[in-house]
């Protein structure tokens, strides 16, 4: 409530309004962090509803119950008499405390970034994320103007704004930078020649933690190759820079009619061997660094496969969990409205990845076909239509098991009877379980974001079918234990301390850290087959190598999906497709061994 100055005319009133507007522009100092931001408080030029809000009331009165419910009045005094100032301070203090308390209770859970502060006698809500980067809001939509619904709408609008999302991204980048800046670690592992390659990448993109880690692991693995061929240094430096990086906004509307904006990515890393091929990932953590590291790994997978394809990757920070089919359809169509310009049978061939399944691919392909007016050159392979092969989704998981069988065959062993721990419960993990059973192995674990499930009796086909039903119904793996009493679900834990012979990490990148690697070694693991891209941190790889645990990298073991894309040129029967996939994985394995022999690498086999 604003207090008027009695006896003044219209000109005096307008002068008071100008003074009030000047007083509304203030400088907020955050005591805890020592950061500073500028906030424009008051009517926004772009919102006429705020501009039409009356600033001066006719008379003073006690706050009513209606005022308590709406919490809309603003108390600010500018160049008033001492009596008026005392009157303005005498009553609203108690009311402000109640307003602050109600704000905290209502918004603390929904808007974790919001905090309440009292500035110049007025309680307001500020953004704790944007303040860290000196962001200047065009207006403060969290003040007392408007109804409660208007305030909630303003909070939601800011939560989905590009300003807020960019501040969140910068916040994560600042945290990642601490992890990236490890030049001593790079120098300790690599020769000076190989180290310069990674140092150049770090200097160019210091905040891209995942990409730098991937580049460091690849260059370290190729250190002897680079030492024998110094001209590879220049080639590696060029290879580490993508041919094209596309970043774009993806606006979409939810079922309530509210607009949202996400960020889309596509990195076409290298097309030297042929058109790009790579997955699309929909996950809140998706960023340019992850897109680059996935594209780089995909480039190496395609180069190792028998087929001539380039590498690419992309996706969005959109979270499909909890979204309706219509919301996902609208997002996928909006996503494709921009991405279709860079796709085609001779350009880029997107495929499934985390958060993207047959439903999402169908929505995107339908929109692509409408925009490009081209049925050929679909998302599952060059010069073919949408249907594709019947074993497309199984290829990566099956290929991991085929690759493992080839490793064990060189040791005069087989999978039959071996205890296997598997992380994840998505497409790759489920198909790994299925094929392990076919070879007579004993898979005992799966996991999700909340913990892991262990069944010491091992999974069978009926149990795997039950696990699929749980995932389709979006239930927790914990429900499995209610049906099978001998199983147990562990919250906030990983499966790497379970006794095993072979481990299959199939969840996400960096899921195995140094402590997890130590647990694996102590659990008796002798072989680790990477199902997900870069599942082990650099420190974890060091632990496993020192313990003589054989590590099959995802670049080779996970190339089954690449092979499947080319096999889809013909609609093989399931038996023929599996036979062709086994042959492709055998060629990849033999090429890997030949390269290791040519450059003097000893087998990492503990045997």
């Amino acid at each position: 409530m604003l207090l008027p100055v009695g006896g003044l005319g219209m000109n005096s009133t307008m002068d008071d309004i100008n003074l009030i507007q000047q007083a509304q522009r203030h400088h907020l100092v955050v005591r805890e962090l020592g950061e500073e931001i500028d906030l424009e408080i008051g009517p926004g030029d772009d919102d006429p509803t705020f501009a039409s809000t009356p600033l001066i009331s006719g008379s003073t009165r006690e706050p009513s119950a209606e005022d308590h419910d709406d919490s809309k009045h603003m108390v600010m005094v500018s160049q008033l008499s001492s009596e008026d100032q005392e009157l303005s301070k005498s009553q609203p203090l108690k009311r402000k405390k109640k307003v602050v308390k109600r704000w905290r209770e209502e918004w603390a859970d929904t808007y974790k970034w919001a905090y309440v502060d009292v500035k110049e006698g007025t309680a307001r809500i500020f953004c704790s994320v944007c303040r860290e980067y000196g962001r200047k809001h065009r207006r403060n939509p969290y003040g007392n103007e408007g109804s409660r619904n208007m305030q909630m709408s303003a909070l939601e609008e800011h939560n989905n704004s590009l300003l807020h999302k960019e501040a969140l991204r910068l916040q994560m980048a600042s945290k990642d930078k601490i992890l990236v800046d490890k030049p001593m670690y790079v120098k300790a592992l690599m020769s000076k020649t190989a180290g310069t390659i990674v140092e150049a990448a770090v200097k160019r993109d210091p905040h891209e933690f995942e990409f730098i880690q991937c580049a460091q692991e690849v260059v370290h693995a190729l250190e002897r190759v680079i030492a024998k061929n110094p001209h590879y240094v220049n080639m590696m430096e060029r290879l580490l820079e993508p041919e094209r990086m596309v970043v774009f906004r993806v606006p979409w509307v939810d079922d309530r009619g509210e607009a949202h904006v996400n960020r889309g990515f596509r990195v076409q890393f290298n097309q030297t061997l042929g058109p790009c091929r790579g997955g699309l990932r929909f996950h809140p953590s998706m960023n340019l660094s992850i897109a680059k590291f996935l594209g780089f790994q995909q480039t190496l997978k395609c180069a190792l496969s028998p087929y001539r394809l380039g590498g690419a990757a992309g996706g969005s920070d959109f979270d499909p969990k909890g979204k309706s089919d219509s919301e996902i359809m609208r997002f996928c169509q909006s996503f494709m409205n921009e991405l279709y310009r860079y796709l085609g049978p001779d350009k880029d061939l997107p495929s499934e990845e985390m958060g993207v399944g047959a439903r999402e691919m169908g929505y995107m392909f339908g929109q692509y076909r409408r925009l490009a007016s081209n049925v050929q050159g679909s998302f599952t392979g060059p010069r073919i239509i949408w249907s594709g092969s019947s074993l497309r989704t199984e290829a990566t998981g099956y290929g991991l098991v085929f690759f493992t069988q080839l490793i064990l065959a060189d040791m005069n062993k087989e999978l039959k009877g071996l205890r296997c721990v598997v992380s994840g419960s998505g497409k790759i993990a489920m198909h790994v379980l299925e094929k392990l059973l076919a070879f007579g192995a004993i898979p005992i674990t799966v996991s999700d974001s909340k913990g892991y499930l262990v069944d010491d009796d091992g999974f069978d086909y009926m149990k795997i079918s039950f696990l699929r039903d749980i995932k389709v119904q979006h239930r927790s793996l914990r429900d499995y234990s209610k049906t099978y009493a001998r199983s147990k679900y562990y919250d906030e834990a990983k499966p790497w301390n379970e006794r095993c012979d072979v481990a299959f990490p199939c969840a996400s990148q960096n899921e195995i850290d140094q402590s997890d690697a130590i647990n694996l070694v102590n659990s008796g693991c002798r072989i680790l087959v990477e199902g997900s891209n870069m599942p082990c941190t650099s420190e974890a790889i060091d632990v496993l190598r020192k313990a003589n645990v054989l590590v099959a990298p995802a670049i080779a073991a996970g190339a089954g999906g690449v092979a499947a894309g080319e096999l889809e040129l013909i609609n093989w029967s399931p038996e023929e497709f599996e036979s062709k996939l086994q042959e492709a994985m055998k060629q990849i394995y033999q090429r890997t061994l030949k390269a290791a022999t040519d450059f003097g690498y000893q087998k990492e086999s503990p045997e």
Side-chain angles (χ1 to χ4, degrees):
M1 180 184 297
L2 286 168
L3 302 177
V5 180
L8 294 180
M10 182 61 68
N11 293 335
S12 299
T13 302
M14 295 304 298
D15 291 339
D16 286 342
I17 293 176
N18 294 331
L19 289 172
I20 290 170
Q21 291 176 343
Q22 292 177 10
Q24 285 175 329
R25 300 174 183 271
H26 64 275
H27 197 64
L28 174 66
V29 178
V30 183
R31 300 184 189 90
E32 296 180 358
L33 300 179
E35 301 284 351
E36 298 182 358
I37 61 170
D38 291 328
L39 290 169
E40 285 187 354
I41 313 294
D45 297 336
D46 58 340
D47 194 339
T49 62
F50 282 88
S52 61
T53 304
L55 293 177
I56 299 184
S57 61
S59 61
T60 63
R61 59 184 176 88
E62 293 288 332
S64 64
E66 185 178 354
D67 295 330
H68 282 280
D69 294 336
D70 295 336
S71 61
K72 309 175 185 62
H73 292 283
M74 184 169 53
V75 180
M76 303 193 98
V77 179
S78 177
Q79 292 188 347
L80 298 178
S81 65
S82 59
E83 296 180 358
D84 289 332
Q85 291 179 4
E86 292 176 0
L87 179 62
S88 66
K89 297 178 182 178
S90 61
Q91 296 178 359
L93 292 177
K94 185 175 182 181
R95 174 178 171 270
K96 290 172 190 172
K97 292 181 180 178
K98 291 183 178 180
V99 170
V100 170
K101 182 178 180 181
R102 183 162 65 251
W103 280 346
R104 286 175 178 154
E105 291 175 352
E106 290 181 359
W107 297 334
D109 293 333
T110 306
Y111 305 101
K112 309 247 180 228
W113 47 265
Y115 74 98
V116 179
D117 193 11
V118 178
K119 185 64 178 179
E120 296 184 359
T122 302
R124 298 190 180 280
I125 301 176
F126 300 105
C127 179
S128 61
V129 176
C130 297
R131 74 180 186 190
E132 294 185 14
Y133 299 94
R135 295 287 173 175
K136 184 176 182 181
H137 296 264
R138 188 170 183 180
R139 62 181 167 87
N140 176 26
Y142 324 124
N144 296 339
E145 304 94 335
S147 65
R148 177 182 177 279
N149 290 336
M150 183 180 294
Q151 295 172 23
M152 295 294 287
S153 177
L155 283 166
E156 182 68 19
E157 178 185 357
H158 178 72
N159 195 52
N160 296 316
S161 67
L162 287 176
L163 173 82
H164 186 69
K165 289 182 179 293
E166 178 67 9
L168 282 173
R169 189 190 69 79
L170 291 172
Q171 186 182 61
M172 294 304 298
S174 66
K175 294 178 181 178
D176 292 343
K177 183 177 180 181
I178 300 174
L179 299 175
V180 173
D181 294 336
K182 294 182 179 180
M184 293 302 296
Y185 182 71
V186 174
K187 292 179 180 178
L189 285 175
M190 299 180 183
S191 65
K192 184 176 180 180
T193 303
T196 57
I197 301 174
V198 177
E199 289 174 4
V202 171
K203 184 177 180 180
R204 185 185 299 114
D205 302 304
H207 303 307
E208 296 181 354
F209 169 67
E210 294 86 0
F211 177 64
I212 295 299
Q213 179 188 345
C214 179
Q216 177 178 324
E217 290 182 5
V218 170
V219 173
H220 176 59
L222 297 175
E223 186 174 2
R224 295 185 186 178
V225 180
I226 296 172
K228 289 186 177 182
N229 302 274
H231 61 281
Y232 282 178
V233 174
N234 183 259
M235 295 176 62
M236 282 297 300
E237 290 176 349
R238 285 182 289 166
L239 183 61
L240 287 172
E241 186 63 23
E243 291 183 2
R244 183 178 293 108
M245 293 183 287
V246 184
V247 182
F248 53 96
R249 70 171 184 173
V250 186
W252 59 283
V253 180
D254 62 21
D255 291 339
R256 297 176 297 176
E258 296 182 2
H260 303 268
V261 177
N262 287 91
R263 183 170 291 179
F265 307 91
R266 190 63 177 176
V267 176
Q268 296 172 346
F269 221 94
N270 195 283
Q271 294 177 291
T272 302
L273 298 179
C276 290
R277 182 178 183 83
L280 293 173
R281 173 182 293 190
F282 290 170
H283 193 271
S285 65
M286 188 66 185
N287 55 38
L288 185 61
S289 174
I290 293 177
K292 287 177 67 176
F293 118 71
L294 292 173
F296 184 48
Q297 285 219 332
Q298 186 71 12
T299 299
L300 300 178
K301 286 182 183 179
C302 293
L304 193 56
S305 74
Y307 310 106
R308 300 185 63 82
L309 290 169
S316 174
D317 57 0
F318 171 77
D319 187 2
K321 289 185 178 180
K323 304 295 191 302
S324 66
D325 288 346
S326 58
E327 288 175 329
I328 292 177
M329 179 186 71
R330 288 192 289 271
F331 174 82
C332 291
Q333 290 174 344
S334 179
F335 182 83
M336 192 49 57
N337 284 342
E338 177 65 27
L339 188 61
Y340 88 97
R341 314 170 195 275
Y342 308 97
L343 305 180
D346 299 321
K347 297 180 182 178
D348 192 353
L349 312 166
S351 58
E352 301 174 3
E353 232 269 4
M354 183 188 301
V356 177
R359 174 184 59 177
E360 290 79 9
M361 292 298 289
Y363 290 148
M364 286 188 285
F365 178 71
Q367 186 72 355
Y368 168 78
R369 187 170 60 179
R370 282 191 289 270
L371 295 169
S373 301
N374 184 9
V375 179
Q376 299 294 321
S378 78
F379 291 5
T380 56
R383 305 176 299 282
I384 62 170
I385 59 174
W386 171 249
S387 59
S389 172
S390 59
L391 288 178
R392 173 68 183 87
T393 57
E394 288 89 340
T396 303
Y398 283 10
L400 289 172
V401 181
F402 293 154
F403 198 88
T404 308
Q405 184 69 5
L406 292 168
I407 294 173
L408 290 169
D410 271 359
M411 301 178 183
N412 296 320
K413 294 184 178 181
E414 58 182 8
L415 273 169
K416 186 175 181 179
L418 297 184
R419 287 172 61 90
C420 303
V421 294
V422 181
S423 68
S425 53
K427 295 185 290 290
I428 296 177
M430 288 300 176
H431 294 134
V432 167
L433 294 180
E434 184 180 315
K435 190 52 63 176
L436 285 174
L437 284 177
F439 279 97
I442 308 173
I444 60 171
T445 67
V446 288
S447 68
D448 57 18
S449 58
K450 305 295 184 181
Y452 79 93
L453 173 71
V454 57
D455 190 335
D456 284 326
D457 294 336
F459 299 113
D460 54 29
Y461 289 109
M462 185 177 297
K463 293 178 179 179
I464 292 177
S465 178
F466 183 56
L467 285 172
R468 292 184 192 276
D469 292 339
I470 289 176
K471 297 302 294 183
V472 169
Q473 297 169 13
H474 303 289
R475 294 155 56 194
S476 171
L477 292 176
R478 191 180 290 103
D479 295 343
Y480 179 95
S481 300
K482 299 176 182 178
T483 303
Y484 297 95
R486 289 179 58 84
S487 65
K488 188 171 182 179
Y489 184 85
Y490 294 92
D491 289 301
E492 303 298 332
K494 301 178 184 180
W496 312 123
N497 57 353
E498 297 292 336
R499 183 174 61 85
C500 66
D501 301 298
V502 186
F504 292 88
C506 302
S508 63
Q509 70 268 8
N510 290 330
E511 58 178 298
I512 299 179
D513 57 24
Q514 187 175 25
S515 61
D516 296 326
I518 294 173
N519 289 336
L520 274 171
V521 173
N522 294 334
S523 300
C525 179
R526 307 309 301 162
I527 300 175
L528 185 142
V529 184
E530 296 183 347
S532 56
N533 291 295
M534 199 172 68
C536 301
T537 65
S538 301
E539 293 83 358
I541 291 292
D542 291 342
V543 171
L544 295 173
R545 284 175 176 164
K546 290 177 181 178
N548 288 327
V549 176
L550 189 147
V551 179
I555 292 173
V562 177
E566 287 297 298
L567 292 175
E568 285 181 331
L569 289 170
I570 301 176
N571 282 330
W572 305 96
S573 67
E575 294 77 15
E576 292 174 324
F577 185 92
E578 190 168 327
S579 176
K580 296 290 183 181
L581 180 60
Q582 280 185 299
E583 182 61 30
M585 297 306 297
K586 185 176 181 180
Q587 291 183 38
I588 292 172
Y589 180 72
Q590 290 174 344
R591 293 181 69 178
T592 305
L593 288 183
K594 183 178 183 302
T597 303
D598 292 344
F599 289 98
Y601 286 90
Q602 295 180 350
K603 288 185 180 180
E604 294 179 329
S605 169
E607 309 298 325

